Every structure is written in structure tokens, then in C-alpha cells.
Amino acid sequence: MPELIRSFVAVKVPGNVADELENFLAELRPLAKIRWVRRSQFHITLKFLGENTREVTEDVKEALEAVKNFEPFTVELSYIGAFPNLNAPRVLWLSGDKGAKELGHVAKKVNDVIFDGAGIERDTKKFQAHLTLARLKDSYLPENLVRKLGEVPKLSWTCDELFLMKSDLKPSGPVYSQLL
């Protein structure tokens, strides 16, 4: 049985912005017993690839060379949302309007080149740029946490590259490593 590699294409959050986000999450974590993401997991997923063989992963790497370098743009994350919604949250996330359109364009290009170069199916649902903050088992947010979520700082950086990331699932949560 061939080794399968679980991977995704993402935009990483630079160190100084990760510092700001980590400081904000340090204020949120005591307010609710939910699964908060760790600093090493801060990213915006452009395309989840699932599990693929090493050969397909190499094809993905090669295909991404065509879109790896793009015109830099500013990303600003400034508000909290949830999937499916804030009234019944399963995933809390951070997003913003500035850079969302550009991230969508890059995600579409990634979708296209990976389909053409590696045969991985295109995403059919609408892309929504977001950075996952936490995952919830029950859909309840304490009122003090909801109030604090309204105080999210504006986090911005220049986005100028994407990465192919490997995701190893562990009992303590996923561990990410860079493949490209």
C-alpha cells in the first residue's frame, strides 16, 4: 500500500502578525473550553488536497510552480465569523474584506493548475478566505467570549507567496510541515 500524504495549499501568517494574533487568543482561551488552534497552525487554506500518493504530491508541487509567485497584495483580517454561523458555531474563524478578492483569485488559479497538472478535482463551493481560530464540539459560546470577539485587532500583512503544507494528524491535533 503506497504512503499517502495529507496536504493543503495555504498562505501563512508572518511572525509579527502571528504574535498579535497569539496575544489576542491568549485573552480568549480562558473564556471558553474549546479547541483553540496553536500558533503553528495559523494559515489561510487556498485548497485542501486530501490524501494523495507521493507521485501525485510531486505533480502538485510541479503544478504549483506556475502560480507560486504572484503580484503581492495586502491581506487584512478584521472580523470574527463561524461555520455554519455564530448562532450555531462549529468552527470560529477570522476574516476580512481587504485582500479577500485577491486570495480568491489565487485560490482559483491553484484550483486550476492542480486539476490540470495533478488531476485533483476542482473545488465546487465558493471560496471564503478565513483563518481558523477554534473548533467547537457543542455550539455554545459564553457571553463573555462573544463580547471579547468583538474586540478583534486588525491584522494585516503583505501576501506574496503560497505554500504546499503536509498535515500529519496526531491525537493532540494536526502537525503541519512545509513541502513547498
Side-chain angles (χ1 to χ4, degrees):
M1 179 128 173
E3 174 196 5
L4 295 178
I5 299 169
R6 186 174 194 264
S7 63
F8 59 95
V9 180
V11 170
K12 289 186 185 179
V13 176
N16 60 325
V17 176
D19 291 343
E20 288 181 67
L21 182 54
E22 184 60 32
N23 289 339
F24 180 63
L25 288 182
E27 296 174 24
L28 299 180
R29 285 185 180 109
L31 302 178
K33 292 191 183 303
I34 56 181
R35 288 182 299 156
W36 297 98
V37 298
R38 296 184 307 269
R39 179 191 174 103
S40 62
Q41 298 170 323
F42 294 165
H43 71 276
I44 297 172
T45 300
L46 300 174
K47 177 154 180 67
F48 179 70
L49 304 173
E51 293 183 337
N52 294 287
T53 64
R54 183 165 301 285
E55 292 77 21
V56 170
T57 302
E58 289 301 318
D59 290 344
V60 167
K61 281 186 190 179
E62 192 173 310
L64 287 175
E65 289 296 329
V67 293
K68 192 170 83 166
N69 298 311
F70 49 85
E71 189 70 32
F73 57 91
T74 299
V75 172
E76 182 178 272
L77 304 178
S78 57
Y79 61 85
I80 302 283
F83 295 130
N85 58 59
L86 280 170
N87 293 325
R90 302 301 286 162
V91 174
L92 272 182
W93 46 257
L94 183 59
S95 191
D97 296 326
K98 192 170 195 174
K101 183 170 73 170
E102 292 87 346
L103 284 166
H105 289 311
V106 174
K108 182 185 180 322
K109 288 179 186 175
V110 166
N111 224 354
D112 291 344
V113 300
I114 289 177
F115 174 76
D116 293 341
I120 293 177
E121 289 298 315
R122 288 181 170 93
D123 289 329
T124 55
K125 60 184 179 175
K126 186 178 186 298
F127 175 77
Q128 182 173 357
H130 68 280
L131 185 151
T132 298
L133 296 176
R135 291 179 174 78
L136 294 82
K137 286 188 180 181
D138 59 5
S139 295
Y140 170 74
L141 294 177
E143 190 58 40
N144 58 344
L145 174 60
V146 172
R147 278 193 303 277
K148 192 69 176 169
L149 291 175
E151 300 173 16
V152 64
K154 287 186 179 177
L155 305 170
S156 65
W157 72 92
T158 300
C159 179
D160 60 359
E161 61 184 330
L162 55 83
F163 300 88
L164 177 61
M165 303 296 294
K166 179 179 179 184
S167 174
D168 289 312
L169 299 179
K170 307 283 185 192
S172 59
V175 176
Y176 302 147
S177 56
Q178 187 174 317
L179 296 173
L180 175 70

Coordinates of all heavy atoms in Angstrom, one line a residue, residues 23-66:
N23 N -1.4 36.9 21.0 CA -1.7 37.8 22.1 C -3.2 37.9 22.3 O -3.7 37.8 23.4 CB -1.1 39.1 22.0 CG 0.4 39.1 22.2 OD1 1.0 38.2 22.7 ND2 1.1 40.1 21.6
F24 N -4.0 38.0 21.2 CA -5.4 38.1 21.2 C -6.0 36.8 21.7 O -6.9 36.7 22.6 CB -6.0 38.5 19.9 CG -7.5 38.6 19.8 CD1 -8.1 39.6 20.6 CD2 -8.2 37.8 19.0 CE1 -9.5 39.7 20.6 CE2 -9.6 37.9 19.0 CZ -10.3 38.8 19.8
L25 N -5.5 35.7 21.2 CA -6.0 34.4 21.6 C -5.7 34.0 23.0 O -6.5 33.4 23.7 CB -5.5 33.3 20.7 CG -6.0 33.2 19.2 CD1 -5.4 32.1 18.4 CD2 -7.5 33.2 19.2
A26 N -4.6 34.6 23.5 CA -4.3 34.4 24.9 C -5.3 35.0 25.8 O -5.6 34.5 26.9 CB -2.9 35.0 25.3
E27 N -6.0 36.1 25.4 CA -7.1 36.7 26.1 C -8.4 35.9 26.0 O -9.2 35.8 26.9 CB -7.3 38.1 25.6 CG -6.2 39.0 25.9 CD -6.4 40.4 25.2 OE1 -7.6 40.8 25.0 OE2 -5.4 41.1 24.9
L28 N -8.5 35.2 24.9 CA -9.8 34.4 24.6 C -9.8 33.0 25.2 O -10.8 32.6 25.7 CB -10.0 34.3 23.1 CG -10.1 35.5 22.3 CD1 -10.4 35.2 20.8 CD2 -11.3 36.4 22.8
R29 N -8.6 32.4 25.2 CA -8.6 31.0 25.7 C -9.2 30.7 27.1 O -9.9 29.7 27.2 CB -7.1 30.5 25.6 CG -6.7 30.2 24.2 CD -5.3 29.6 24.2 NE -4.9 29.3 22.8 CZ -3.9 30.0 22.2 NH1 -3.3 31.0 22.8 NH2 -3.7 29.7 20.9
P30 N -8.9 31.6 28.1 CA -9.5 31.3 29.4 C -11.1 31.5 29.4 O -11.7 31.0 30.4 CB -8.9 32.3 30.3 CG -7.7 32.9 29.5 CD -8.0 32.7 28.1
L31 N -11.6 32.1 28.4 CA -13.1 32.4 28.4 C -13.9 31.2 28.0 O -15.2 31.2 28.2 CB -13.4 33.6 27.5 CG -12.6 34.9 27.9 CD1 -12.9 36.0 26.9 CD2 -12.9 35.3 29.3
A32 N -13.4 30.2 27.3 CA -14.1 29.0 26.9 C -13.3 27.8 26.7 O -12.1 27.9 26.2 CB -14.8 29.4 25.5
K33 N -13.8 26.7 27.1 CA -13.1 25.4 26.9 C -13.4 24.8 25.6 O -14.3 23.9 25.4 CB -13.4 24.4 28.0 CG -12.9 24.9 29.4 CD -13.0 23.8 30.4 CE -12.6 24.2 31.8 NZ -11.3 24.7 31.9
I34 N -12.8 25.4 24.5 CA -13.0 24.9 23.2 C -11.6 24.6 22.6 O -10.6 25.0 23.2 CB -13.8 25.9 22.3 CG1 -13.1 27.3 22.3 CG2 -15.2 26.0 22.8 CD1 -13.9 28.3 21.5
R35 N -11.5 24.0 21.5 CA -10.2 23.6 20.9 C -9.7 24.8 20.1 O -10.0 24.9 18.9 CB -10.3 22.4 20.0 CG -10.5 21.1 20.9 CD -10.6 19.9 20.0 NE -11.7 20.0 19.1 CZ -11.8 19.4 18.0 NH1 -10.9 18.6 17.5 NH2 -12.9 19.5 17.2
W36 N -8.8 25.6 20.7 CA -8.2 26.7 20.0 C -7.0 26.3 19.2 O -6.3 25.3 19.6 CB -7.7 27.7 21.1 CG -8.8 28.3 21.9 CD1 -9.2 27.9 23.2 CD2 -9.6 29.4 21.5 NE1 -10.2 28.7 23.6 CE2 -10.5 29.6 22.6 CE3 -9.7 30.2 20.4 CZ2 -11.5 30.6 22.6 CZ3 -10.7 31.2 20.4 CH2 -11.6 31.4 21.4
V37 N -6.8 26.9 18.0 CA -5.7 26.5 17.2 C -4.4 27.0 17.9 O -4.4 28.0 18.6 CB -5.8 27.0 15.8 CG1 -7.0 26.4 15.1 CG2 -5.8 28.5 15.7
R38 N -3.3 26.3 17.6 CA -2.0 26.7 18.0 C -1.4 27.7 17.0 O -1.7 27.7 15.8 CB -1.1 25.5 18.2 CG -1.7 24.6 19.3 CD -0.7 23.4 19.6 NE -0.4 22.6 18.4 CZ -1.0 21.6 17.9 NH1 -2.1 21.2 18.6 NH2 -0.6 20.9 16.9
R39 N -0.4 28.4 17.5 CA 0.3 29.4 16.6 C 0.9 28.7 15.4 O 0.8 29.3 14.3 CB 1.4 30.1 17.4 CG 2.2 31.0 16.6 CD 3.5 31.5 17.4 NE 4.3 32.3 16.6 CZ 4.4 33.6 16.7 NH1 3.7 34.2 17.6 NH2 5.2 34.3 15.8
S40 N 1.4 27.5 15.5 CA 1.9 26.8 14.4 C 0.9 26.4 13.3 O 1.2 26.0 12.2 CB 2.7 25.5 14.8 OG 1.7 24.6 15.5
Q41 N -0.4 26.6 13.6 CA -1.5 26.3 12.7 C -2.1 27.5 12.0 O -3.0 27.4 11.3 CB -2.6 25.5 13.4 CG -2.1 24.2 14.0 CD -3.1 23.6 14.9 OE1 -3.8 24.2 15.7 NE2 -3.2 22.2 14.9
F42 N -1.6 28.7 12.3 CA -2.1 29.9 11.7 C -1.9 29.9 10.2 O -0.7 30.0 9.7 CB -1.5 31.2 12.3 CG -1.8 31.4 13.7 CD1 -1.0 32.3 14.4 CD2 -2.8 30.8 14.4 CE1 -1.3 32.6 15.8 CE2 -3.1 31.0 15.8 CZ -2.3 32.0 16.4
H43 N -2.9 29.9 9.4 CA -2.8 30.0 7.9 C -4.2 30.2 7.3 O -5.2 30.1 8.0 CB -2.2 28.7 7.4 CG -3.1 27.5 7.5 ND1 -3.3 26.7 8.6 CD2 -4.0 27.0 6.6 CE1 -4.2 25.8 8.4 NE2 -4.7 25.9 7.2
I44 N -4.2 30.5 6.1 CA -5.4 30.6 5.3 C -5.3 29.5 4.2 O -4.4 29.6 3.4 CB -5.6 32.0 4.6 CG1 -5.7 33.1 5.7 CG2 -6.8 32.0 3.7 CD1 -5.8 34.5 5.2
T45 N -6.2 28.6 4.2 CA -6.2 27.5 3.2 C -6.7 28.0 1.9 O -7.8 28.5 1.8 CB -7.0 26.3 3.7 OG1 -6.5 25.8 5.0 CG2 -7.0 25.2 2.7
L46 N -6.0 27.8 0.9 CA -6.4 28.1 -0.5 C -7.1 26.9 -1.1 O -8.0 27.0 -1.9 CB -5.2 28.6 -1.4 CG -4.6 29.8 -0.9 CD1 -3.3 30.1 -1.7 CD2 -5.5 31.0 -0.8
K47 N -6.5 25.7 -0.8 CA -7.1 24.4 -1.4 C -6.7 23.3 -0.5 O -5.5 23.1 -0.3 CB -6.7 24.2 -2.8 CG -7.2 22.8 -3.3 CD -7.4 22.8 -4.8 CE -7.9 21.5 -5.4 NZ -9.3 21.2 -5.0
F48 N -7.6 22.5 0.0 CA -7.4 21.3 0.7 C -7.2 20.2 -0.3 O -8.1 20.0 -1.2 CB -8.4 21.0 1.7 CG -8.2 19.7 2.5 CD1 -7.2 19.6 3.4 CD2 -9.0 18.6 2.2 CE1 -6.9 18.4 4.1 CE2 -8.8 17.4 2.9 CZ -7.7 17.3 3.8
L49 N -6.2 19.4 -0.3 CA -5.9 18.4 -1.3 C -6.3 16.9 -0.8 O -6.3 16.0 -1.6 CB -4.4 18.4 -1.7 CG -4.0 19.7 -2.2 CD1 -2.5 19.7 -2.4 CD2 -4.7 20.1 -3.5
G50 N -6.5 16.8 0.5 CA -6.8 15.4 1.0 C -5.5 14.6 1.0 O -4.4 15.1 1.0
E51 N -5.7 13.2 0.9 CA -4.6 12.3 0.9 C -4.3 11.8 -0.5 O -5.2 11.4 -1.2 CB -5.0 11.1 1.8 CG -5.1 11.5 3.3 CD -5.4 10.3 4.2 OE1 -5.9 9.2 3.7 OE2 -5.1 10.4 5.4
N52 N -3.0 11.9 -0.8 CA -2.6 11.6 -2.2 C -1.3 10.8 -2.1 O -0.5 10.9 -1.1 CB -2.4 12.8 -3.0 CG -3.8 13.5 -3.3 OD1 -4.6 13.0 -4.0 ND2 -4.0 14.6 -2.6
T53 N -1.0 10.1 -3.1 CA 0.3 9.4 -3.2 C 1.4 10.4 -3.3 O 1.2 11.5 -3.7 CB 0.3 8.4 -4.4 OG1 0.3 9.2 -5.6 CG2 -0.8 7.4 -4.3
R54 N 2.6 9.9 -3.1 CA 3.8 10.7 -3.2 C 4.0 11.2 -4.7 O 4.3 12.4 -4.9 CB 5.1 9.9 -2.8 CG 6.4 10.7 -2.9 CD 7.5 10.1 -2.2 NE 7.3 9.8 -0.8 CZ 7.3 10.7 0.2 NH1 7.5 12.0 -0.1 NH2 7.1 10.4 1.5
E55 N 3.6 10.4 -5.6 CA 3.7 10.8 -7.0 C 2.7 11.9 -7.3 O 3.1 12.9 -8.0 CB 3.4 9.6 -8.0 CG 4.4 8.5 -7.9 CD 4.3 7.6 -6.7 OE1 3.3 7.5 -6.0 OE2 5.3 6.9 -6.4
V56 N 1.5 11.8 -6.8 CA 0.5 12.9 -7.1 C 1.0 14.2 -6.3 O 0.9 15.3 -6.9 CB -0.9 12.5 -6.6 CG1 -1.8 13.7 -6.6 CG2 -1.4 11.4 -7.5
T57 N 1.5 14.0 -5.1 CA 2.1 15.2 -4.4 C 3.2 15.9 -5.2 O 3.3 17.1 -5.2 CB 2.5 14.8 -3.0 OG1 1.4 14.2 -2.3 CG2 3.0 15.9 -2.2
E58 N 4.0 15.1 -5.8 CA 5.1 15.7 -6.6 C 4.5 16.4 -7.8 O 5.0 17.5 -8.2 CB 6.1 14.6 -7.1 CG 7.0 14.0 -6.0 CD 7.8 15.1 -5.3 OE1 8.4 16.0 -6.0 OE2 7.9 15.1 -4.0
D59 N 3.5 15.8 -8.4 CA 2.8 16.5 -9.5 C 2.2 17.8 -9.1 O 2.2 18.8 -9.8 CB 1.7 15.6 -10.1 CG 2.2 14.4 -10.9 OD1 3.4 14.4 -11.2 OD2 1.4 13.5 -11.1
V60 N 1.7 17.9 -7.9 CA 1.1 19.1 -7.3 C 2.2 20.1 -7.1 O 2.0 21.3 -7.5 CB 0.4 18.8 -5.9 CG1 0.1 20.1 -5.2 CG2 -0.9 18.0 -6.1
K61 N 3.3 19.7 -6.6 CA 4.5 20.6 -6.4 C 4.9 21.3 -7.7 O 5.0 22.5 -7.8 CB 5.7 19.9 -5.8 CG 5.7 19.7 -4.4 CD 7.0 19.1 -4.0 CE 7.1 18.5 -2.6 NZ 8.4 17.9 -2.3
E62 N 5.0 20.4 -8.7 CA 5.4 20.9 -10.1 C 4.3 21.9 -10.6 O 4.6 22.9 -11.2 CB 5.5 19.7 -11.0 CG 6.2 20.1 -12.3 CD 6.5 18.8 -13.1 OE1 7.1 17.9 -12.6 OE2 6.1 18.8 -14.3
A63 N 3.0 21.5 -10.5 CA 2.0 22.4 -11.0 C 1.9 23.7 -10.3 O 1.7 24.8 -10.9 CB 0.6 21.7 -10.8
L64 N 2.2 23.8 -9.0 CA 2.2 25.0 -8.2 C 3.3 26.0 -8.6 O 3.2 27.2 -8.3 CB 2.3 24.7 -6.7 CG 1.0 24.1 -6.1 CD1 1.3 23.7 -4.6 CD2 -0.1 25.1 -6.2
E65 N 4.3 25.5 -9.2 CA 5.4 26.4 -9.7 C 4.8 27.5 -10.6 O 5.3 28.6 -10.6 CB 6.5 25.6 -10.4 CG 7.4 24.8 -9.5 CD 8.2 25.5 -8.5 OE1 8.6 26.7 -8.8 OE2 8.4 25.0 -7.4
A66 N 3.8 27.2 -11.3 CA 3.2 28.2 -12.3 C 2.5 29.3 -11.5 O 2.3 30.4 -12.1 CB 2.2 27.5 -13.2

